[in-house]
């Protein structure tokens, strides 16, 4: 999957989870930038991404994520043909 | 050996550092790591040699399990490993409590066993559980036994955290430059250590005698009058924060002196504007552990199952009772209940955990209400910040009464005082009250250690932090300031016997 496809998908997920049509998935966006990005919404985003991109994440992988850029890179690595 | 004892400061630390950097000049860095491991075991055994075998057994067993998991990641092996670790904590921490509960329920009179709790067992066990999960997930190559032993026993973090991951520490000790004397790291580490030392000696130990009388009254079966109860409870909340965050700063500072960066454990939690935020800033490495290995798997499993079954998932904009209870309240209460129990065996810890669980659930529920979601003008939002911080702080203060109390009876007497139902206590000396107020000012108005040291990453969307004059720099002025703080602290250390850290009890 290409990088723009992943970021588009993540933008759609973030907009749906946070009900904020203005939010855009950018590489340096992180949970600290969005007030409602708590542990529940985090899992909401992760599960939505797992279903959308057809991948699954390990707990250690999730813990290492610092921002949306890391998340996109992880998804890209997992969807390589 | 406590970090603030003369034997640590003037013998153990300089000798260990010297040996580490001297052996670090050899081509194989494993000598330096073996030295550090031996020093750490000595540091640990200084308390009580009887604790040492348990640590060594745990170390050997988990290393072997890790090797097996790296070779063949089998789920049953991981689960047995986790069960074995939890079983060990369970036996040492909860066997006595469970016998008491069973006696009460069945009117039996089984003798309550007095089991000596091995120091640090909760911390080193959690760290090794995380390690086994990492091995199972294929995140670890072939672990070297000396690096592994050093990673678990590293004395700055052995006794009370931060709870670190293998992948955070071991890559650092695989690099040769870690073993070279780095003046910047030494100075930075020593400064952070001094700040932590001051938090413990200058602040926590000064606040302790202001909190204790409230619990002495409760031990006599008396509830204090309103102002007395609140001052004592606030003094304890501040004492605990300075004690544990001071310990964590010391651990991080010491780690840095050895060239190893440990994760921060506190981020001004008492400045939090709600309970959800509080837990993302208080004892952060424990929160991270519980989130990764307890809360996330439960929530993820529930969410997947409900999505696949086409059932609604929790959404604050379309609040519905069943998804709220199943998907939000249930995992939160289980996680926080266990977080409470982790701190100790006793009903007061269960209540402490459940109180925080309920407050978190209430926080989520509030976000789902129209008022909680209202888009307030920035001026109103700004004006509400102090109100939010104060309310959060008061709620945390009440919960910590359970944390501190030796039993539920005493906790309830203190809480009665907080609700104006008591009339005991002495006259409030204004000097003592001023100390508590000073503590609040430090907590609310000053930057925290990592902010002051310029080590805190800024959020992407926020403006970069102003290059304030307050920010620490390796300059004579700041050196003088830290030196003065250290002098005052040392004078106090020599003036009285060192008091243990509160978190050593876990």
């Amino acid at each position: 999957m290409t990088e723009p496809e992943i970021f588009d998908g993540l933008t759609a997920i973030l907009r749906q989870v946070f009900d904020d049509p203005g939010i855009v998935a950018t590489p340096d966006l992180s949970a600290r930038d969005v007030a409602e990005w708590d542990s529940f919404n985090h899992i909401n985003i992760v599960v939505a991404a797992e279903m959308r991109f057809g991948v699954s994440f390990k707990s250690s992988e999730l813990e290492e994520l610092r921002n949306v850029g890391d998340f996109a890179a992880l998804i890209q690595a997992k969807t390589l043909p | 050996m406590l970090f603030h004892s003369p034997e640590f400061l003037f013998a153990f630390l300089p000798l260990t550092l010297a040996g580490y950097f001297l052996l670090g000049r050899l081509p194989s860095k494993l000598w330096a790591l073996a030295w550090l491991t031996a020093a750490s075991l000595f540091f640990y055994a200084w308390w009580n040699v009887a604790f040492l075998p348990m640590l060594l057994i745990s170390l050997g067993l988990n290393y072997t399990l890790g090797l097996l998991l790296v070779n063949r990641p089998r789920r049953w092996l991981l689960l047995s490993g986790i069960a074995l670790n939890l079983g060990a904590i369970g036996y040492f921490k909860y066997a006595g409590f469970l016998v008491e509960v069973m006696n009460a329920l069945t009117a039996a009179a089984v003798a309550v066993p007095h089991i000596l709790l091995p120091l640090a067992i909760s911390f080193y066990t959690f760290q090794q559980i995380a390690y086994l999960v990492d091995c199972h997930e294929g995140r670890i190559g072939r672990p070297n036994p000396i690096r592994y032993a050093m990673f678990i026993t590293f004395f700055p973090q052995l006794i009370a955290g931060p709870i670190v991951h293998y992948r955070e520490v071991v890559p650092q000790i695989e690099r040769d430059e870690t073993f070279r004397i780095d003046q910047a790291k030494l100075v930075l580490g020593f400064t952070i250590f001094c700040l932590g030392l001051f938090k413990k000696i200058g602040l926590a130990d000064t606040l302790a005698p202001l909190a204790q009388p409230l619990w002495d009254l409760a031990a006599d079966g008396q509830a204090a009058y309103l102002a007395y109860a609140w001052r004592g409870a606030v003094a304890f909340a501040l004492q605990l924060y300075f004690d544990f965050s001071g310990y964590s700063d010391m651990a991080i500072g010491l780690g840095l002196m050895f060239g190893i960066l440990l994760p921060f454990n506190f981020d001004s939690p008492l400045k939090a504007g709600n309970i959800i935020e509080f837990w993302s800033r208080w004892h952060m490495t424990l929160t991270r552990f519980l989130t990764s290995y307890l809360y996330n798997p439960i929530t993820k499993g529930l969410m997947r199952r409900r999505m696949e079954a086409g059932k609604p998932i929790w959404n604050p904009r379309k609040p519905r009772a069943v998804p709220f209870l199943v998907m939000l309240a249930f995992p939160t209460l289980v996680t926080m209940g266990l977080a409470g129990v982790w701190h100790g065996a006793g009903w007061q810890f269960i209540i402490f955990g459940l109180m925080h669980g309920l407050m978190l659930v209430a926080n989520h529920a509030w976000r789902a209400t129209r008022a909680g979601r209202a888009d307030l003008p920035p001026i109103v939002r700004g004006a509400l910040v102090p109100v939010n911080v104060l309310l959060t702080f008061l709620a945390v203060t009440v919960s910590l009464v359970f944390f501190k109390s030796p039993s539920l009876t005493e906790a309830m007497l203190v809480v009665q005082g907080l609700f104006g139902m008591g009339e005991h206590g002495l006259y409030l000396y204004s000097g003592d009250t001023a100390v508590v107020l000073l503590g609040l000012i430090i907590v609310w108005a000053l930057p925290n250690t990592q902010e002051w040291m310029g080590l805190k990453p800024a959020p992407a969307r926020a403006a970069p932090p102003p290059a304030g004059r307050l920010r620490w720099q390796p300059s004579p002025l700041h050196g003088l300031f830290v030196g003065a703080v250290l002098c005052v602290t040392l004078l106090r250390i020599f003036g009285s016997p060192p008091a243990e850290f509160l978190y050593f009890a876990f």
Side-chain angles (χ1 to χ4, degrees):
Chain A
M1 201 166 278
T2 64
E3 212 177 281
E5 282 173 331
I6 292 171
F7 276 99
D8 284 349
L10 288 177
T11 299
I13 291 171
L14 293 178
R15 285 183 181 174
Q16 197 228 327
V17 168
F18 295 117
D19 193 27
D20 175 359
I23 197 165
V24 177
T26 54
D28 57 359
L29 183 75
S30 79
R32 295 160 55 122
D33 302 311
V34 185
E36 280 182 53
W37 197 323
D38 55 32
S39 42
F40 181 82
N41 280 331
H42 192 70
I43 294 303
N44 206 342
I45 293 165
V46 166
V47 174
E50 284 187 340
M51 296 181 109
R52 187 179 189 111
F53 299 110
V55 292
S56 85
F57 304 108
K58 295 169 179 167
S59 54
S60 56
E61 292 170 337
L62 293 178
E63 223 177 57
E64 284 171 314
L65 303 177
R66 286 161 306 153
N67 51 35
V68 170
D70 286 354
F71 195 31
L74 181 65
I75 294 168
Q76 192 164 26
K78 283 186 178 273
T79 51
L80 282 179
Chain B
M1 213 182 308
L2 293 162
F3 291 161
H4 49 285
S5 60
E7 58 268 27
F8 177 86
L9 290 170
F10 298 106
F12 179 84
L13 181 61
L15 284 176
T16 308
L17 267 176
Y20 175 76
F21 285 121
L22 218 60
L23 291 169
R25 292 165 158 241
L26 295 174
S28 170
K29 306 304 172 196
L30 291 175
W31 292 106
L33 292 175
W35 164 259
L36 197 49
T37 306
S40 298
L41 291 174
F42 175 80
F43 170 85
Y44 183 73
W46 185 269
W47 266 281
N48 189 342
V49 182
F51 295 150
L52 196 58
M54 183 64 207
L55 174 64
L56 293 175
I57 291 170
S58 170
L59 209 60
L61 216 59
N62 281 299
Y63 178 72
T64 313
L65 278 169
L67 272 185
L68 293 173
L69 282 168
V70 166
N71 289 336
R72 283 180 71 184
R74 282 163 294 191
R75 201 174 162 75
W76 66 265
L77 191 61
L78 173 69
L79 293 178
S80 342
I82 294 174
L84 207 63
N85 277 295
L86 291 180
I89 304 194
Y91 171 73
F92 284 104
K93 269 189 120 150
Y94 309 111
F97 177 62
L98 286 180
V99 171
E100 261 176 53
V101 172
M102 290 311 288
N103 278 350
L105 285 178
T106 59
V110 180
V112 178
H114 282 284
I115 302 162
L116 198 58
L117 180 69
L119 187 70
I121 186 168
S122 316
F123 288 92
Y124 68 68
T125 307
F126 270 25
Q127 200 152 305
Q128 295 188 102
I129 288 176
Y131 169 74
L132 293 182
V133 174
D134 276 355
C135 286
H136 179 258
E137 291 186 349
R139 303 304 306 273
I140 286 167
R142 211 178 160 72
N144 172 289
I146 294 177
R147 288 203 188 97
Y148 179 74
M150 181 273 165
F151 149 68
I152 295 299
T153 62
F154 189 36
F155 72 90
Q157 50 98 106
L158 171 63
I159 310 293
I163 303 167
V164 290
H165 284 296
Y166 184 88
R167 57 177 185 273
E168 279 170 325
V169 172
V170 174
Q172 298 189 61
I173 55 175
E174 280 171 343
R175 283 196 298 267
D176 279 2
E177 60 259 34
T178 303
F179 301 87
R180 261 178 242 133
I181 296 183
D182 181 337
Q183 218 180 346
K185 278 185 181 170
L186 268 176
V187 170
L188 205 63
F190 188 65
T191 306
I192 296 176
F193 178 80
C194 289
L195 293 177
L197 197 63
F198 178 72
K199 277 189 187 171
K200 164 67 179 162
I201 305 292
L203 300 172
D205 290 356
T206 307
L207 285 157
L210 304 182
Q212 193 52 41
L214 181 59
W215 275 269
D216 292 343
L217 276 180
D220 289 339
Q222 295 176 330
Y225 66 88
L226 189 71
Y228 196 80
W230 275 104
R231 196 192 65 183
V234 167
F236 177 69
L238 293 173
Q239 182 204 343
L240 182 68
Y241 168 66
F242 287 127
D243 192 280
F244 194 23
S245 76
Y247 166 82
S248 300
D249 285 353
M250 282 191 247
I252 291 159
L254 289 168
L256 212 53
M257 288 165 77
F258 287 87
I260 295 161
L261 186 64
L262 300 171
F264 283 103
N265 218 9
F266 287 87
D267 185 15
S268 298
L270 303 181
K271 284 180 190 159
N274 58 59
I275 291 288
I276 296 176
E277 197 190 325
F278 172 80
W279 277 102
S280 69
R281 302 170 76 158
W282 173 277
H283 202 177
M284 285 144 72
T285 56
L286 177 69
T287 304
R288 175 176 79 167
F289 182 91
L290 294 172
T291 307
S292 286
Y293 301 115
L294 207 57
Y295 176 85
N296 282 357
I298 300 176
T299 308
K300 225 173 134 186
L302 287 168
M303 198 176 289
R304 281 198 147 242
R305 233 197 278 162
R306 287 186 73 88
M307 276 181 173
E308 280 160 11
K311 290 180 185 164
I313 64 157
W314 166 246
N315 180 344
R317 279 163 299 280
K318 297 177 197 112
R320 292 168 73 166
V322 174
F324 181 76
L325 292 175
V326 174
M327 301 191 60
L328 213 136
F330 169 70
T332 308
L333 287 173
V334 168
T335 308
M336 294 313 291
L338 288 170
V341 174
W342 176 83
H343 285 92
W347 291 108
Q348 71 276 31
F349 288 111
I350 297 173
I351 303 269
F352 167 77
L354 289 178
M355 257 177 100
H356 275 277
L358 287 173
M359 290 195 287
L360 286 168
V361 170
N363 200 165
H364 280 287
W366 167 255
R367 284 186 177 177
T369 64
R370 194 174 294 174
R373 303 184 50 76
D375 211 1
L376 301 169
I379 297 179
V380 181
R381 209 180 301 149
L384 278 175
V385 168
V387 180
N388 294 339
V389 171
L390 186 68
L391 279 177
T392 308
F393 176 69
L394 294 182
V396 168
T397 300
V398 174
S399 74
L400 288 177
V401 166
F402 290 88
F403 189 91
K404 157 116 175 128
S405 299
S407 75
L408 209 49
T409 324
E410 274 139 305
M412 288 318 290
L413 280 166
V414 176
V415 170
Q416 278 176 29
L418 292 176
F419 284 92
M421 289 150 72
E423 51 193 16
H424 296 277
L426 300 164
Y427 172 72
L428 287 180
Y429 294 105
S430 51
D432 292 350
T433 307
V435 171
V436 175
L437 289 176
L438 182 72
L440 286 172
I441 291 171
I442 292 174
V443 155
W444 282 334
L446 293 186
N448 62 35
T449 307
Q450 56 267 42
E451 285 164 345
W452 194 58
M453 302 306 291
L455 292 172
K456 186 181 168 170
R461 273 192 188 176
R469 260 170 296 163
L470 261 181
R471 167 76 63 83
W472 180 85
Q473 281 149 9
S475 70
L477 190 70
H478 284 91
L480 212 62
F481 172 72
V482 174
V485 168
L486 182 63
C487 261
V488 172
T489 316
L490 286 179
L491 283 175
R492 289 199 58 155
I493 290 176
F494 287 118
S496 58
E500 266 207 12
F501 291 96
L502 295 171
Y503 257 74
F504 283 17
F506 313 128

